[in-house]
Every structure is written in structure tokens, then in C-alpha cells.
Amino acid sequence: MLGQASAAGARLAHFPEGFLSGYAVEDVVSWDDFDWALVRRELEDVAAFAGELGIWVVLGSAHPLTEPHLPHNSLYVVSDEGRLVDRYDKRKCSHTELTRFYTPGFEPVVFDVDGFCFGLAICIEINFSDVFAEYDRLDVDCLLLSAYPVDSIFATKARAYAAIHNYWLSLSVPAQATHLFHSGLIGPHGEVLAEAGGESGLVVGTLDRDDPALRGALEFARPWRAMARSGDIYKERRVTDERSRVRTEF
């Protein structure tokens, strides 16, 4: 799939949660006797191949910590030179994850590719609006959301965040989830720009700031909403008026 992505001209390939190691409960019953050495070799192979192809890779996998600590549920960021440049550790872990499988992370991660700023989030974090608002404040152009979803409303939430914050959102899920919705690229206006379809496979989307369909979201909505959130445009128009202060009279 990396070879196909590179041949299609992609500069970044984005894969689902737990893509390499497997995801807890669904693929991993316990970390006892888990072959971490094999996972590391595979990660090193992926990084080396990314360097050969000259393509960035964001890849979901568990990241082992020193015993007896549970691993992180992570996204590795590999540059087009084949170097591991950062790692995002899932912050909002579920109850099962937190008590049996993973150690939470605490930091957002952003990185730049060809003049675009990317942010990272994982699965259940879709339910925490503060995560997506934080990346808006960090001025990301595109949020990469890797998941192993369990319901179809997940995709609706992803489209809503893209439209609310006016950034692109890449949604990457495993083939087992295609009966719920499809992996794809959502635009800053909340519309799906490209999707993989119902079969396992690759989808290629383009971040185009000059797309006329996105002008309203990128040039007007996003900067104006940032102003509105600061509150100044409302504070300066606040009035002292008895008709405003009293709310129990018609």
C-alpha cells in the first residue's frame, strides 16, 4: 500500500489505530508473551521503505514501555527520509484500555509536510471536543484520525469536527469496520472528498487550498470563528441597557 500511495503521488500515507501491533481486545487478548521484537523489526522495515519511497507515514501500533508499565496506544510519525520524528500517544483511553491494556499519553502532536500542518488523534477521542478544539488552536490544516470504530455515528462526528473547525480530516479505519463507514478524506466544509469504498484498499485525497468549494470554509469561516471565539467582537458591542439586563419582562 505504501508503494501504491507513492506511485499515486501521495506525500503522506495514513493508517488505522493498532494497524501493526493489533488493537487490544479485538486482536490482542493480553500483552503476556507478545512479540515486541517482531513488531519493532516490522516498524524498522516500514521506516526504511518510507525512506526509499520518499513518503511520510503515520502508522498505528502499540508502543512498549519499561515493565511493569502497560504500553501506549500510539501513532508513529515517520518522515520521507525514513526517520521516526515523533509519536502520538492516545490520551483519552477507554475504561478497558486504561485498566487492562494501555498507559495514556498527555501531549498533542503536530508536524509539517510540504507547508501543511498535521495533528493526530485516535479513536475514542472523537467524543472529546476539547481534543479537536486544541488542534484548531494549534492551527493544523489537517487532522489525522486513526480508529477502530464500533458504531457508524463516528463518521458523523468526524465530519462535524472538520466543518466546525474548518480543517481537513483524514479518517483511517481497518477493513473490519467498512460495514460502519469507509476510510476517507473529509474537507474543511465537512463534506467527504474521497473515500476508500467498501473493500480493503487505498484512497488518495488532495489538500487543495485553492479549491473554490473550500473558499468559504478556509478564507472566511475559519478566521472569523477564531475572532468570534476570542470574544472581543462581542465585548465591544456590549451595551448597558435596562431592557437587556432584565430577562423576566416582555
Side-chain angles (χ1 to χ4, degrees):
M1 292 186 77
L2 282 179
Q4 293 173 30
S6 177
R11 290 287 291 127
L12 183 150
H14 173 210
F15 293 98
E17 177 182 24
F19 187 71
L20 185 57
S21 63
Y23 174 61
V25 183
E26 295 294 334
D27 307 305
V28 180
V29 177
S30 166
W31 299 117
D32 296 339
D33 302 320
F34 189 82
D35 195 344
W36 291 110
L38 174 60
V39 170
R40 178 165 187 152
R41 289 196 300 272
E42 292 288 346
L43 284 168
E44 290 172 345
D45 287 347
V46 169
F49 192 44
E52 291 176 20
L53 294 172
I55 187 172
W56 286 72
V57 179
V58 171
L59 178 69
S61 187
H63 177 77
L65 303 184
T66 306
E67 292 186 357
H69 303 300
L70 294 170
H72 288 310
N73 184 350
S74 303
L75 293 174
Y76 291 106
V77 181
V78 178
S79 77
D80 55 358
E81 297 177 346
R83 294 187 301 108
L84 177 61
V85 296
D86 214 332
R87 188 191 71 244
Y88 177 71
D89 304 320
K90 189 176 185 178
R91 294 178 281 174
K92 308 294 187 182
C93 297
S94 71
H95 175 75
T96 299
E97 288 178 320
L98 198 59
T99 55
R100 293 175 50 196
F101 290 100
Y102 298 113
T103 295
F106 291 91
E107 302 294 333
V109 167
V110 297
F111 63 98
D112 292 318
V113 177
D114 299 345
F116 287 90
C117 181
F118 293 86
L120 301 173
I122 301 177
C123 202
I124 197 175
E125 294 179 326
I126 193 77
N127 296 307
F128 297 88
S129 60
D130 53 310
V131 171
F132 294 82
E134 178 182 38
Y135 280 119
D136 181 26
R137 292 192 299 272
L138 292 171
D139 205 25
V140 302
D141 295 294
C142 180
L143 184 68
L144 305 177
L145 177 59
S146 296
Y148 202 123
V150 296
D151 57 51
S152 59
I153 199 67
F154 192 103
T156 303
K157 295 173 185 177
R159 290 182 60 182
Y161 284 129
I164 288 168
H165 297 297
N166 303 124
Y167 47 51
W168 284 273
L169 192 149
S170 174
L171 181 53
S172 182
V173 300
Q176 297 95 313
T178 54
H179 65 290
L180 298 173
F181 57 86
H182 305 151
S183 295
L185 179 66
I186 302 167
H189 52 357
E191 300 294 335
V192 177
L193 300 176
E195 65 173 27
E199 303 295 329
S200 174
L202 178 74
V203 59
V204 178
T206 302
L207 308 189
D208 182 4
R209 292 191 178 104
D210 295 323
D211 184 345
L214 305 181
R215 187 174 179 225
L218 294 178
E219 293 186 26
F220 302 110
R222 188 167 189 182
W224 185 85
R225 289 176 190 176
M227 260 194 324
R229 289 187 185 105
S230 75
D232 292 340
I233 61 174
Y234 303 112
K235 290 175 184 175
E236 64 189 25
R237 286 167 174 77
R238 187 169 185 165
V239 299
T240 301
D241 188 320
E242 190 71 6
R243 292 287 298 162
S244 173
R245 187 185 67 78
V246 178
R247 299 196 298 270
T248 55
E249 294 180 359
F250 292 114

PDB file of all heavy atoms in Angstrom, residues 33-65:
ATOM      1  N   ASP A  33       3.628 -12.447  26.723  1.00  0.00           N
ATOM      2  CA  ASP A  33       4.265 -13.187  25.622  1.00  0.00           C
ATOM      3  C   ASP A  33       4.079 -12.522  24.256  1.00  0.00           C
ATOM      4  O   ASP A  33       4.230 -13.172  23.213  1.00  0.00           O
ATOM      5  CB  ASP A  33       3.754 -14.639  25.562  1.00  0.00           C
ATOM      6  CG  ASP A  33       3.995 -15.382  26.866  1.00  0.00           C
ATOM      7  OD1 ASP A  33       5.071 -15.194  27.457  1.00  0.00           O
ATOM      8  OD2 ASP A  33       3.089 -16.125  27.291  1.00  0.00           O
ATOM      9  N   PHE A  34       3.714 -11.249  24.234  1.00  0.00           N
ATOM     10  CA  PHE A  34       3.584 -10.527  22.964  1.00  0.00           C
ATOM     11  C   PHE A  34       4.961 -10.358  22.337  1.00  0.00           C
ATOM     12  O   PHE A  34       5.940 -10.076  23.025  1.00  0.00           O
ATOM     13  CB  PHE A  34       2.943  -9.158  23.208  1.00  0.00           C
ATOM     14  CG  PHE A  34       2.575  -8.414  21.956  1.00  0.00           C
ATOM     15  CD1 PHE A  34       1.395  -8.699  21.284  1.00  0.00           C
ATOM     16  CD2 PHE A  34       3.402  -7.431  21.450  1.00  0.00           C
ATOM     17  CE1 PHE A  34       1.049  -8.007  20.132  1.00  0.00           C
ATOM     18  CE2 PHE A  34       3.068  -6.731  20.299  1.00  0.00           C
ATOM     19  CZ  PHE A  34       1.885  -7.029  19.638  1.00  0.00           C
ATOM     20  N   ASP A  35       5.054 -10.531  21.025  1.00  0.00           N
ATOM     21  CA  ASP A  35       6.347 -10.490  20.338  1.00  0.00           C
ATOM     22  C   ASP A  35       6.712  -9.054  19.952  1.00  0.00           C
ATOM     23  O   ASP A  35       6.574  -8.629  18.806  1.00  0.00           O
ATOM     24  CB  ASP A  35       6.297 -11.377  19.088  1.00  0.00           C
ATOM     25  CG  ASP A  35       7.691 -11.676  18.545  1.00  0.00           C
ATOM     26  OD1 ASP A  35       8.639 -10.967  18.933  1.00  0.00           O
ATOM     27  OD2 ASP A  35       7.820 -12.617  17.738  1.00  0.00           O
ATOM     28  N   TRP A  36       7.219  -8.300  20.928  1.00  0.00           N
ATOM     29  CA  TRP A  36       7.588  -6.905  20.693  1.00  0.00           C
ATOM     30  C   TRP A  36       8.759  -6.783  19.720  1.00  0.00           C
ATOM     31  O   TRP A  36       8.840  -5.813  18.960  1.00  0.00           O
ATOM     32  CB  TRP A  36       7.929  -6.214  22.010  1.00  0.00           C
ATOM     33  CG  TRP A  36       6.749  -6.011  22.906  1.00  0.00           C
ATOM     34  CD1 TRP A  36       6.483  -6.652  24.089  1.00  0.00           C
ATOM     35  CD2 TRP A  36       5.657  -5.093  22.697  1.00  0.00           C
ATOM     36  NE1 TRP A  36       5.306  -6.200  24.625  1.00  0.00           N
ATOM     37  CE2 TRP A  36       4.778  -5.242  23.793  1.00  0.00           C
ATOM     38  CE3 TRP A  36       5.357  -4.174  21.690  1.00  0.00           C
ATOM     39  CZ2 TRP A  36       3.608  -4.496  23.906  1.00  0.00           C
ATOM     40  CZ3 TRP A  36       4.190  -3.438  21.799  1.00  0.00           C
ATOM     41  CH2 TRP A  36       3.330  -3.598  22.898  1.00  0.00           C
ATOM     42  N   ALA A  37       9.651  -7.751  19.758  1.00  0.00           N
ATOM     43  CA  ALA A  37      10.819  -7.702  18.868  1.00  0.00           C
ATOM     44  C   ALA A  37      10.387  -7.764  17.402  1.00  0.00           C
ATOM     45  O   ALA A  37      10.935  -7.064  16.541  1.00  0.00           O
ATOM     46  CB  ALA A  37      11.780  -8.839  19.193  1.00  0.00           C
ATOM     47  N   LEU A  38       9.393  -8.592  17.120  1.00  0.00           N
ATOM     48  CA  LEU A  38       8.872  -8.702  15.755  1.00  0.00           C
ATOM     49  C   LEU A  38       8.230  -7.389  15.314  1.00  0.00           C
ATOM     50  O   LEU A  38       8.459  -6.918  14.187  1.00  0.00           O
ATOM     51  CB  LEU A  38       7.849  -9.836  15.672  1.00  0.00           C
ATOM     52  CG  LEU A  38       7.111  -9.982  14.337  1.00  0.00           C
ATOM     53  CD1 LEU A  38       8.081 -10.254  13.206  1.00  0.00           C
ATOM     54  CD2 LEU A  38       6.058 -11.084  14.429  1.00  0.00           C
ATOM     55  N   VAL A  39       7.442  -6.785  16.194  1.00  0.00           N
ATOM     56  CA  VAL A  39       6.794  -5.514  15.872  1.00  0.00           C
ATOM     57  C   VAL A  39       7.839  -4.439  15.585  1.00  0.00           C
ATOM     58  O   VAL A  39       7.717  -3.665  14.632  1.00  0.00           O
ATOM     59  CB  VAL A  39       5.855  -5.070  17.017  1.00  0.00           C
ATOM     60  CG1 VAL A  39       5.365  -3.636  16.790  1.00  0.00           C
ATOM     61  CG2 VAL A  39       4.665  -6.011  17.122  1.00  0.00           C
ATOM     62  N   ARG A  40       8.894  -4.414  16.396  1.00  0.00           N
ATOM     63  CA  ARG A  40       9.950  -3.411  16.179  1.00  0.00           C
ATOM     64  C   ARG A  40      10.627  -3.625  14.828  1.00  0.00           C
ATOM     65  O   ARG A  40      10.909  -2.658  14.106  1.00  0.00           O
ATOM     66  CB  ARG A  40      10.969  -3.472  17.303  1.00  0.00           C
ATOM     67  CG  ARG A  40      12.111  -2.482  17.090  1.00  0.00           C
ATOM     68  CD  ARG A  40      12.923  -2.256  18.323  1.00  0.00           C
ATOM     69  NE  ARG A  40      13.890  -1.195  18.107  1.00  0.00           N
ATOM     70  CZ  ARG A  40      14.364  -0.409  19.042  1.00  0.00           C
ATOM     71  NH1 ARG A  40      13.943  -0.546  20.284  1.00  0.00           N
ATOM     72  NH2 ARG A  40      15.255   0.514  18.767  1.00  0.00           N
ATOM     73  N   ARG A  41      10.902  -4.878  14.470  1.00  0.00           N
ATOM     74  CA  ARG A  41      11.533  -5.145  13.174  1.00  0.00           C
ATOM     75  C   ARG A  41      10.642  -4.682  12.033  1.00  0.00           C
ATOM     76  O   ARG A  41      11.114  -4.099  11.044  1.00  0.00           O
ATOM     77  CB  ARG A  41      11.854  -6.639  13.028  1.00  0.00           C
ATOM     78  CG  ARG A  41      12.992  -7.121  13.913  1.00  0.00           C
ATOM     79  CD  ARG A  41      13.504  -8.472  13.457  1.00  0.00           C
ATOM     80  NE  ARG A  41      12.483  -9.511  13.489  1.00  0.00           N
ATOM     81  CZ  ARG A  41      12.211 -10.270  14.552  1.00  0.00           C
ATOM     82  NH1 ARG A  41      12.890 -10.080  15.691  1.00  0.00           N
ATOM     83  NH2 ARG A  41      11.289 -11.199  14.495  1.00  0.00           N
ATOM     84  N   GLU A  42       9.348  -4.924  12.168  1.00  0.00           N
ATOM     85  CA  GLU A  42       8.412  -4.504  11.126  1.00  0.00           C
ATOM     86  C   GLU A  42       8.360  -2.972  11.025  1.00  0.00           C
ATOM     87  O   GLU A  42       8.311  -2.413   9.927  1.00  0.00           O
ATOM     88  CB  GLU A  42       7.010  -5.055  11.412  1.00  0.00           C
ATOM     89  CG  GLU A  42       6.901  -6.567  11.292  1.00  0.00           C
ATOM     90  CD  GLU A  42       6.978  -7.048   9.859  1.00  0.00           C
ATOM     91  OE1 GLU A  42       6.843  -6.216   8.930  1.00  0.00           O
ATOM     92  OE2 GLU A  42       7.171  -8.252   9.640  1.00  0.00           O
ATOM     93  N   LEU A  43       8.384  -2.306  12.182  1.00  0.00           N
ATOM     94  CA  LEU A  43       8.397  -0.843  12.175  1.00  0.00           C
ATOM     95  C   LEU A  43       9.646  -0.309  11.494  1.00  0.00           C
ATOM     96  O   LEU A  43       9.591   0.656  10.718  1.00  0.00           O
ATOM     97  CB  LEU A  43       8.311  -0.316  13.605  1.00  0.00           C
ATOM     98  CG  LEU A  43       6.938  -0.389  14.281  1.00  0.00           C
ATOM     99  CD1 LEU A  43       7.068  -0.103  15.768  1.00  0.00           C
ATOM    100  CD2 LEU A  43       5.967   0.595  13.627  1.00  0.00           C
ATOM    101  N   GLU A  44      10.767  -0.925  11.782  1.00  0.00           N
ATOM    102  CA  GLU A  44      12.033  -0.506  11.164  1.00  0.00           C
ATOM    103  C   GLU A  44      11.989  -0.732   9.658  1.00  0.00           C
ATOM    104  O   GLU A  44      12.494   0.089   8.876  1.00  0.00           O
ATOM    105  CB  GLU A  44      13.191  -1.260  11.804  1.00  0.00           C
ATOM    106  CG  GLU A  44      13.461  -0.820  13.246  1.00  0.00           C
ATOM    107  CD  GLU A  44      14.475  -1.706  13.947  1.00  0.00           C
ATOM    108  OE1 GLU A  44      14.771  -2.820  13.432  1.00  0.00           O
ATOM    109  OE2 GLU A  44      14.971  -1.306  15.021  1.00  0.00           O
ATOM    110  N   ASP A  45      11.362  -1.834   9.230  1.00  0.00           N
ATOM    111  CA  ASP A  45      11.230  -2.111   7.798  1.00  0.00           C
ATOM    112  C   ASP A  45      10.341  -1.064   7.116  1.00  0.00           C
ATOM    113  O   ASP A  45      10.632  -0.600   6.008  1.00  0.00           O
ATOM    114  CB  ASP A  45      10.643  -3.504   7.563  1.00  0.00           C
ATOM    115  CG  ASP A  45      11.644  -4.617   7.858  1.00  0.00           C
ATOM    116  OD1 ASP A  45      12.849  -4.299   7.997  1.00  0.00           O
ATOM    117  OD2 ASP A  45      11.226  -5.781   7.951  1.00  0.00           O
ATOM    118  N   VAL A  46       9.236  -0.712   7.788  1.00  0.00           N
ATOM    119  CA  VAL A  46       8.334   0.309   7.249  1.00  0.00           C
ATOM    120  C   VAL A  46       9.067   1.636   7.106  1.00  0.00           C
ATOM    121  O   VAL A  46       8.963   2.325   6.083  1.00  0.00           O
ATOM    122  CB  VAL A  46       7.094   0.477   8.150  1.00  0.00           C
ATOM    123  CG1 VAL A  46       6.303   1.721   7.748  1.00  0.00           C
ATOM    124  CG2 VAL A  46       6.203  -0.757   8.069  1.00  0.00           C
ATOM    125  N   ALA A  47       9.830   2.010   8.151  1.00  0.00           N
ATOM    126  CA  ALA A  47      10.572   3.272   8.112  1.00  0.00           C
ATOM    127  C   ALA A  47      11.594   3.281   6.984  1.00  0.00           C
ATOM    128  O   ALA A  47      11.730   4.275   6.253  1.00  0.00           O
ATOM    129  CB  ALA A  47      11.260   3.505   9.454  1.00  0.00           C
ATOM    130  N   ALA A  48      12.301   2.175   6.820  1.00  0.00           N
ATOM    131  CA  ALA A  48      13.305   2.090   5.758  1.00  0.00           C
ATOM    132  C   ALA A  48      12.647   2.205   4.381  1.00  0.00           C
ATOM    133  O   ALA A  48      13.154   2.906   3.488  1.00  0.00           O
ATOM    134  CB  ALA A  48      14.073   0.775   5.869  1.00  0.00           C
ATOM    135  N   PHE A  49      11.502   1.554   4.206  1.00  0.00           N
ATOM    136  CA  PHE A  49      10.810   1.597   2.925  1.00  0.00           C
ATOM    137  C   PHE A  49      10.258   2.994   2.646  1.00  0.00           C
ATOM    138  O   PHE A  49      10.272   3.471   1.505  1.00  0.00           O
ATOM    139  CB  PHE A  49       9.689   0.562   2.907  1.00  0.00           C
ATOM    140  CG  PHE A  49       9.102   0.311   1.554  1.00  0.00           C
ATOM    141  CD1 PHE A  49       9.908   0.161   0.435  1.00  0.00           C
ATOM    142  CD2 PHE A  49       7.729   0.216   1.380  1.00  0.00           C
ATOM    143  CE1 PHE A  49       9.367  -0.074  -0.828  1.00  0.00           C
ATOM    144  CE2 PHE A  49       7.178  -0.018   0.132  1.00  0.00           C
ATOM    145  CZ  PHE A  49       7.998  -0.161  -0.969  1.00  0.00           C
ATOM    146  N   ALA A  50       9.770   3.663   3.709  1.00  0.00           N
ATOM    147  CA  ALA A  50       9.293   5.039   3.544  1.00  0.00           C
ATOM    148  C   ALA A  50      10.417   5.936   3.054  1.00  0.00           C
ATOM    149  O   ALA A  50      10.210   6.799   2.198  1.00  0.00           O
ATOM    150  CB  ALA A  50       8.736   5.562   4.867  1.00  0.00           C
ATOM    151  N   GLY A  51      11.623   5.708   3.589  1.00  0.00           N
ATOM    152  CA  GLY A  51      12.779   6.478   3.142  1.00  0.00           C
ATOM    153  C   GLY A  51      13.120   6.205   1.691  1.00  0.00           C
ATOM    154  O   GLY A  51      13.484   7.117   0.941  1.00  0.00           O
ATOM    155  N   GLU A  52      13.013   4.946   1.282  1.00  0.00           N
ATOM    156  CA  GLU A  52      13.286   4.595  -0.117  1.00  0.00           C
ATOM    157  C   GLU A  52      12.285   5.259  -1.059  1.00  0.00           C
ATOM    158  O   GLU A  52      12.646   5.742  -2.136  1.00  0.00           O
ATOM    159  CB  GLU A  52      13.214   3.080  -0.294  1.00  0.00           C
ATOM    160  CG  GLU A  52      14.327   2.302   0.388  1.00  0.00           C
ATOM    161  CD  GLU A  52      14.128   0.808   0.232  1.00  0.00           C
ATOM    162  OE1 GLU A  52      13.383   0.409  -0.700  1.00  0.00           O
ATOM    163  OE2 GLU A  52      14.680   0.035   1.038  1.00  0.00           O
ATOM    164  N   LEU A  53      11.027   5.285  -0.631  1.00  0.00           N
ATOM    165  CA  LEU A  53       9.972   5.847  -1.469  1.00  0.00           C
ATOM    166  C   LEU A  53       9.907   7.367  -1.391  1.00  0.00           C
ATOM    167  O   LEU A  53       9.352   8.018  -2.288  1.00  0.00           O
ATOM    168  CB  LEU A  53       8.613   5.272  -1.050  1.00  0.00           C
ATOM    169  CG  LEU A  53       8.393   3.773  -1.270  1.00  0.00           C
ATOM    170  CD1 LEU A  53       7.079   3.349  -0.623  1.00  0.00           C
ATOM    171  CD2 LEU A  53       8.383   3.437  -2.755  1.00  0.00           C
ATOM    172  N   GLY A  54      10.434   7.931  -0.295  1.00  0.00           N
ATOM    173  CA  GLY A  54      10.322   9.368  -0.093  1.00  0.00           C
ATOM    174  C   GLY A  54       8.912   9.787   0.268  1.00  0.00           C
ATOM    175  O   GLY A  54       8.403  10.793  -0.237  1.00  0.00           O
ATOM    176  N   ILE A  55       8.269   9.020   1.181  1.00  0.00           N
ATOM    177  CA  ILE A  55       6.893   9.305   1.566  1.00  0.00           C
ATOM    178  C   ILE A  55       6.788   9.299   3.095  1.00  0.00           C
ATOM    179  O   ILE A  55       7.449   8.511   3.771  1.00  0.00           O
ATOM    180  CB  ILE A  55       5.928   8.260   0.950  1.00  0.00           C
ATOM    181  CG1 ILE A  55       4.466   8.649   1.192  1.00  0.00           C
ATOM    182  CG2 ILE A  55       6.199   6.858   1.477  1.00  0.00           C
ATOM    183  CD1 ILE A  55       3.470   7.756   0.451  1.00  0.00           C
ATOM    184  N   TRP A  56       5.985  10.200   3.640  1.00  0.00           N
ATOM    185  CA  TRP A  56       5.727  10.223   5.077  1.00  0.00           C
ATOM    186  C   TRP A  56       4.724   9.132   5.436  1.00  0.00           C
ATOM    187  O   TRP A  56       3.847   8.797   4.623  1.00  0.00           O
ATOM    188  CB  TRP A  56       5.159  11.572   5.496  1.00  0.00           C
ATOM    189  CG  TRP A  56       6.159  12.691   5.513  1.00  0.00           C
ATOM    190  CD1 TRP A  56       6.723  13.305   4.435  1.00  0.00           C
ATOM    191  CD2 TRP A  56       6.704  13.331   6.670  1.00  0.00           C
ATOM    192  NE1 TRP A  56       7.591  14.296   4.842  1.00  0.00           N
ATOM    193  CE2 TRP A  56       7.594  14.346   6.205  1.00  0.00           C
ATOM    194  CE3 TRP A  56       6.530  13.172   8.044  1.00  0.00           C
ATOM    195  CZ2 TRP A  56       8.295  15.171   7.085  1.00  0.00           C
ATOM    196  CZ3 TRP A  56       7.229  13.995   8.916  1.00  0.00           C
ATOM    197  CH2 TRP A  56       8.106  14.977   8.437  1.00  0.00           C
ATOM    198  N   VAL A  57       4.836   8.585   6.644  1.00  0.00           N
ATOM    199  CA  VAL A  57       3.931   7.530   7.096  1.00  0.00           C
ATOM    200  C   VAL A  57       3.470   7.823   8.515  1.00  0.00           C
ATOM    201  O   VAL A  57       4.290   8.143   9.392  1.00  0.00           O
ATOM    202  CB  VAL A  57       4.611   6.145   7.060  1.00  0.00           C
ATOM    203  CG1 VAL A  57       3.646   5.077   7.565  1.00  0.00           C
ATOM    204  CG2 VAL A  57       5.077   5.810   5.653  1.00  0.00           C
ATOM    205  N   VAL A  58       2.179   7.719   8.738  1.00  0.00           N
ATOM    206  CA  VAL A  58       1.610   7.748  10.096  1.00  0.00           C
ATOM    207  C   VAL A  58       0.959   6.390  10.318  1.00  0.00           C
ATOM    208  O   VAL A  58       0.039   6.010   9.596  1.00  0.00           O
ATOM    209  CB  VAL A  58       0.594   8.893  10.251  1.00  0.00           C
ATOM    210  CG1 VAL A  58      -0.142   8.776  11.590  1.00  0.00           C
ATOM    211  CG2 VAL A  58       1.299  10.240  10.143  1.00  0.00           C
ATOM    212  N   LEU A  59       1.459   5.672  11.307  1.00  0.00           N
ATOM    213  CA  LEU A  59       1.133   4.255  11.465  1.00  0.00           C
ATOM    214  C   LEU A  59       0.742   3.937  12.909  1.00  0.00           C
ATOM    215  O   LEU A  59       1.489   4.242  13.839  1.00  0.00           O
ATOM    216  CB  LEU A  59       2.347   3.411  11.068  1.00  0.00           C
ATOM    217  CG  LEU A  59       2.245   1.908  11.211  1.00  0.00           C
ATOM    218  CD1 LEU A  59       1.268   1.342  10.192  1.00  0.00           C
ATOM    219  CD2 LEU A  59       3.613   1.269  11.026  1.00  0.00           C
ATOM    220  N   GLY A  60      -0.408   3.309  13.098  1.00  0.00           N
ATOM    221  CA  GLY A  60      -0.867   2.941  14.423  1.00  0.00           C
ATOM    222  C   GLY A  60      -0.240   1.652  14.928  1.00  0.00           C
ATOM    223  O   GLY A  60      -0.191   0.660  14.216  1.00  0.00           O
ATOM    224  N   SER A  61       0.251   1.693  16.177  1.00  0.00           N
ATOM    225  CA  SER A  61       0.821   0.497  16.794  1.00  0.00           C
ATOM    226  C   SER A  61       0.955   0.735  18.291  1.00  0.00           C
ATOM    227  O   SER A  61       1.072   1.880  18.743  1.00  0.00           O
ATOM    228  CB  SER A  61       2.198   0.171  16.203  1.00  0.00           C
ATOM    229  OG  SER A  61       2.680  -1.065  16.693  1.00  0.00           O
ATOM    230  N   ALA A  62       0.939  -0.344  19.066  1.00  0.00           N
ATOM    231  CA  ALA A  62       1.233  -0.219  20.493  1.00  0.00           C
ATOM    232  C   ALA A  62       2.721   0.064  20.663  1.00  0.00           C
ATOM    233  O   ALA A  62       3.552  -0.445  19.909  1.00  0.00           O
ATOM    234  CB  ALA A  62       0.852  -1.501  21.222  1.00  0.00           C
ATOM    235  N   HIS A  63       3.052   0.891  21.657  1.00  0.00           N
ATOM    236  CA  HIS A  63       4.443   1.256  21.920  1.00  0.00           C
ATOM    237  C   HIS A  63       4.823   0.772  23.319  1.00  0.00           C
ATOM    238  O   HIS A  63       4.281   1.256  24.322  1.00  0.00           O
ATOM    239  CB  HIS A  63       4.612   2.776  21.828  1.00  0.00           C
ATOM    240  CG  HIS A  63       5.997   3.234  22.152  1.00  0.00           C
ATOM    241  ND1 HIS A  63       7.042   3.108  21.256  1.00  0.00           N
ATOM    242  CD2 HIS A  63       6.527   3.794  23.273  1.00  0.00           C
ATOM    243  CE1 HIS A  63       8.150   3.591  21.812  1.00  0.00           C
ATOM    244  NE2 HIS A  63       7.866   4.007  23.037  1.00  0.00           N
ATOM    245  N   PRO A  64       5.745  -0.205  23.428  1.00  0.00           N
ATOM    246  CA  PRO A  64       6.064  -0.790  24.736  1.00  0.00           C
ATOM    247  C   PRO A  64       6.808   0.188  25.644  1.00  0.00           C
ATOM    248  O   PRO A  64       7.650   0.965  25.188  1.00  0.00           O
ATOM    249  CB  PRO A  64       6.950  -1.983  24.370  1.00  0.00           C
ATOM    250  CG  PRO A  64       7.593  -1.591  23.071  1.00  0.00           C
ATOM    251  CD  PRO A  64       6.553  -0.792  22.335  1.00  0.00           C
ATOM    252  N   LEU A  65       6.485   0.125  26.930  1.00  0.00           N
ATOM    253  CA  LEU A  65       7.205   0.876  27.956  1.00  0.00           C
ATOM    254  C   LEU A  65       8.012  -0.112  28.801  1.00  0.00           C
ATOM    255  O   LEU A  65       7.965  -1.327  28.589  1.00  0.00           O
ATOM    256  CB  LEU A  65       6.223   1.655  28.829  1.00  0.00           C
ATOM    257  CG  LEU A  65       5.286   2.624  28.101  1.00  0.00           C
ATOM    258  CD1 LEU A  65       4.444   3.404  29.112  1.00  0.00           C
ATOM    259  CD2 LEU A  65       6.068   3.588  27.220  1.00  0.00           C
TER     260      LEU A  65
END
